Amino acid sequence: MQISISNLLKQFGDKTAVDISEFSIQSGDMLGLVGNNGAGKTTLFRLILDLLKADNGFVTITHGEEIINPAMSEDWKPFTGAFIDEGFLIDFLTPEEYFQFIGKVNGMNKDQVEECLKPFEHFMEGEVIGQKKLIRNLSAGNKQKVGIISALINRPDLVILDEPFNFLDPTSQNILKHTLKEYNQETGATVLISSHNLSHTVDICSRIALLEHGVIIRDMQNDNGCAKKELEAYFEQDANSNNAE
């Protein structure tokens, strides 16, 4: 499953949020998007998921022999799982009800959903299922867990997670790192994450794209964490430049 971006442009007034001429994400890539606030990471994800309309250009997804433009077809939805923010959740449901809803949308019955939840028991740490709470009354960290699990529950071929480590405690962050890495290796799914946490991104992503003002300025292979020094040097230089100003 491959994602191809061509002449993609999104502006908000005078500000350019995304400006990517050509970029390809290969099948099975585990790609991390990094960049400072306002770099365009979330906007790029929203464009890929057809949550925003591009001002120019397009995204195509190649799945098997089918080439799909998400802006013109919904054929990408059955094999895509995503969590961007709380707006993806139906917060007047309990987690159990929400997972069953997601399962039903994906053609799963109750027993299948419950079976698919078993690998996430350690990640939920006994704080999500069986609490008799609506999603709106969960902590920020547990809402995050519900969103991430809902994105993975039907084992999609494409996973998109925006800042998945936000609100999670250190133990849950480490569990999630292992979960995502194992999922990518076991299924061959294409996994895209954005994160401000360079350490986590370097630990799990085999490829890292660095965004600045909506432009991908570096596309790095990250074999054995080799991109870490380059990323640290970039952000240190950027911080020094801002201090000098």
Side-chain angles (χ1 to χ4, degrees):
M1 204 226 54
Q2 178 177 327
I3 299 173
S4 298
I5 296 170
S6 181
N7 298 316
L8 192 64
L9 177 68
K10 182 62 183 178
Q11 295 177 305
F12 297 102
D14 295 332
K15 180 183 177 182
T16 298
V18 168
D19 186 4
I20 301 173
S21 56
E22 298 291 337
F23 189 67
S24 293
I25 302 164
Q26 303 303 317
S27 180
D29 270 355
M30 189 150 185
L31 175 73
L33 292 182
V34 299
N36 290 317
N37 288 335
K41 303 184 297 295
T42 301
T43 301
L44 177 55
F45 280 170
R46 289 185 177 276
L47 289 167
I48 293 172
L49 293 168
D50 193 36
L51 298 174
L52 283 174
K53 182 179 179 180
D55 296 320
N56 189 52
F58 54 90
V59 176
T60 58
I61 298 175
T62 303
H63 187 248
E65 296 182 356
E66 188 175 13
I67 299 175
I68 304 165
N69 181 335
M72 300 177 67
S73 168
E74 296 191 351
D75 290 348
W76 55 277
K77 290 185 176 180
F79 59 80
T80 301
F83 183 63
I84 304 296
D85 55 36
E86 279 188 36
F88 275 49
L89 303 176
I90 303 175
D91 67 359
F92 57 80
L93 300 179
T94 65
E96 291 93 330
E97 291 170 336
Y98 184 63
F99 292 141
Q100 288 296 335
F101 168 76
I102 295 296
K104 187 174 182 179
V105 169
N106 288 282
M108 301 164 65
N109 62 38
K110 182 179 179 180
D111 290 342
Q112 288 172 322
V113 171
E114 291 178 354
E115 188 67 25
C116 288
L117 286 173
K118 288 182 180 178
F120 300 103
E121 288 178 354
H122 188 35
F123 182 50
M124 290 188 284
E125 297 183 296
E127 297 178 346
V128 175
I129 297 295
Q131 301 304 298
K132 297 183 180 179
K133 287 184 178 181
L134 302 179
I135 292 173
R136 66 171 62 137
N137 296 325
L138 297 177
S139 68
N142 286 330
K143 289 178 184 176
Q144 188 81 346
K145 291 179 182 181
V146 171
I148 292 168
I149 293 167
S150 68
L152 296 171
I153 196 168
N154 68 320
R155 296 180 70 81
D157 295 331
L158 171 61
V159 178
I160 297 178
L161 301 173
D162 192 24
E163 296 291 350
F165 301 105
N166 277 1
F167 311 119
L168 300 182
D169 60 41
T171 297
S172 297
Q173 290 180 18
N174 281 324
I175 294 171
L176 179 59
K177 283 199 300 182
H178 291 297
T179 298
L180 292 177
K181 197 165 185 178
E182 287 175 4
Y183 183 82
N184 171 253
Q185 292 172 345
E186 290 174 3
T187 66
T190 303
V191 179
L192 314 183
I193 70 166
S194 75
S195 180
H196 285 123
N197 191 310
L198 289 183
S199 178
H200 291 340
T201 307
V202 168
D203 282 349
I204 66 173
C205 293
S206 57
R207 183 182 175 195
I208 297 175
L210 174 60
L211 277 77
E212 185 178 282
H213 304 302
V215 178
I216 296 177
I217 61 172
R218 299 183 195 176
D219 178 11
M220 296 167 276
Q221 293 299 315
N222 185 43
D223 300 326
N224 299 314
C226 64
K228 185 175 182 179
K229 288 186 178 179
E230 185 175 351
L231 288 169
E232 288 177 343
Y234 166 81
F235 286 109
E236 182 177 354
Q237 181 181 3
D238 187 63
N240 291 336
S241 298
N242 288 335
N243 290 335
E245 293 174 1

